Amino acid sequence: MAEDHFEVRKEGPVLTVVLGANLSVVNAPALTDEINLYKGQDIEKLVFDLVGIIPYITFVTNP
């Protein structure tokens, strides 16, 4: 995972965004910039993989 706490990869017509637990408003603009690099590349599906943030969500909602 990148130091921005996300990974973007294109596999055929599918763009997958893997989010890490430390994605925040500070590094979210870098995620937007990365996704924008794929504009016009015949993306048919955008998938957000949230597995990396599940422990964080669980902790925040169930202290």
Side-chain angles (χ1 to χ4, degrees):
M1 182 103 26
E3 69 180 51
D4 291 321
H5 308 289
F6 64 83
E7 178 183 339
V8 179
R9 62 179 177 261
K10 183 176 183 280
E11 298 168 353
V14 178
L15 189 65
T16 301
V17 179
V18 181
L19 301 179
N22 294 318
L23 184 67
S24 69
V25 296
V26 173
N27 52 26
L31 173 58
T32 300
D33 293 343
E34 184 73 18
I35 291 172
N36 283 334
L37 293 175
Y38 293 91
K39 281 185 176 177
Q41 293 192 22
D42 296 324
I43 302 297
E44 295 177 11
K45 183 188 277 188
L46 177 61
V47 176
F48 285 92
D49 181 339
L50 307 176
V51 172
I53 65 170
I54 296 298
Y56 175 76
I57 291 171
T58 301
F59 176 74
V60 171
T61 59
N62 296 312

